[in-house]
Amino acid sequence: DTAVSQTPKYLVTQMGNDKSIKCEQNLGHDTMYWYKQDSKKFLKIMFSYNNKELIINETVPNRFSPKSPDKAHLNLHINSLELGDSAVYFCASSLRAAGAQYFGPGTRLLVL
Amino acid sequence: RKEVEQDPGPFNVPEGATVAFNCTYSNSASQSFFWYRQDCRKEPKLLMSVYSSGNEDGRFTAQLNRASQYISLLIRDSKLSDSATYLCAVNRGGTYKYIFGTGTRLKVLA
């Protein structure tokens, strides 16, 4: 049983398109996150959600809109994709604030 | 200065060697600390949380030095399978925000 799952694993799309990435965790955690890992492998937090509520939005362009329908799911919708959005996006969850995080397998996004 | 810093390496060590990495952090309000392992094209996987008193898990030992604001990871008896990038993560004062280092690459050579 995969603890944190993401779909799709790969996403290749044209500039200007809109795309979504889905994330689900079956760990019973209250908190979920989105991270971006760029080509230099730097892992940067984008959003934190606790019990479906947005807690942190790390100066991410508003083309990125997370949505948490329930505490087990956190989806990421990206509008008007740009070349610079190409990266690996990881979803993660933790039991509580400041707890250990568990990551999904990542979604490799390539914008052409 | 970055909030969390790591030596990017690579650290090339022979099998069986002992290797240690440090990770320095600048925010003294940091409270929780973690080491993750990331293999190429994979997700970061939790290796261990770092406790104030230090902790050990098999061949891996993690230490926290609050006075000098760094955490360390010691790997004894290195195996080929330990080759990976090791990321440290620091959480600011019980918040939902984690800062990751850029990782230290380890290559264990046969």
Side-chain angles (χ1 to χ4, degrees), chain A residues 32-43:
Chain A
M32 295 184 74
Y33 312 81
W34 278 110
Y35 283 86
K36 178 179 181 180
Q37 190 168 44
D38 59 26
S39 56
K40 294 184 180 174
K41 308 299 181 192
F42 181 53
L43 193 61

Side-chain angles (χ1 to χ4, degrees), chain A residues 10 31 33 35 37 41-43 45 48 50 55-56 58 90 94 96-105 108, chain B residues 2 32 34 36 38 40-46 49 87 89 91-102:
Chain A
Y10 301 95
T31 311
Y33 312 81
Y35 283 86
Q37 190 168 44
K41 308 299 181 192
F42 181 53
L43 193 61
I45 195 163
S48 299
N50 186 57
I55 304 296
I56 287 179
E58 272 297 295
F90 288 105
S94 66
R96 51 174 175 78
Q101 294 178 306
Y102 296 85
F103 285 80
R108 294 184 175 278
Chain B
K2 288 183 188 166
S32 302
F34 308 92
Y36 287 83
Q38 187 172 26
C40 191
R41 300 181 71 83
K42 296 284 191 182
E43 73 274 22
K45 288 193 173 152
L46 179 69
S49 302
L87 302 167
N91 178 276
R92 286 185 194 162
T95 68
Y96 296 93
K97 179 156 184 180
Y98 299 73
I99 309 292
F100 278 78
T102 49

Side-chain angles (χ1 to χ4, degrees), chain A residues 14 20-21 34 40 48 50 59 77 80 82 88 95 99 102 104:
Chain A
Q14 300 285 335
S20 290
I21 309 172
W34 278 110
K40 294 184 180 174
S48 299
N50 186 57
T59 60
H77 188 76
S80 304
E82 299 177 359
V88 183
L95 183 59
Y102 296 85

Side-chain angles (χ1 to χ4, degrees), chain A residues 8-20:
Chain A
K9 283 190 90 167
Y10 301 95
L11 201 44
V12 181
T13 189
Q14 300 285 335
M15 258 186 1
N17 283 351
D18 303 338
K19 290 292 177 189
S20 290

Side-chain angles (χ1 to χ4, degrees), chain A residues 45-87:
Chain A
I45 195 163
M46 299 170 70
F47 301 103
S48 299
Y49 265 75
N50 186 57
N51 261 317
K52 304 190 298 176
E53 285 193 31
L54 179 65
I55 304 296
I56 287 179
N57 177 342
E58 272 297 295
T59 60
V60 177
N62 55 17
R63 297 183 296 104
F64 290 79
S65 48
K67 273 207 176 82
S68 183
D70 54 63
K71 71 175 195 178
H73 295 84
L74 180 62
N75 304 323
L76 184 65
H77 188 76
I78 317 170
N79 287 328
S80 304
L81 278 154
E82 299 177 359
L83 294 177
D85 297 332
S86 296

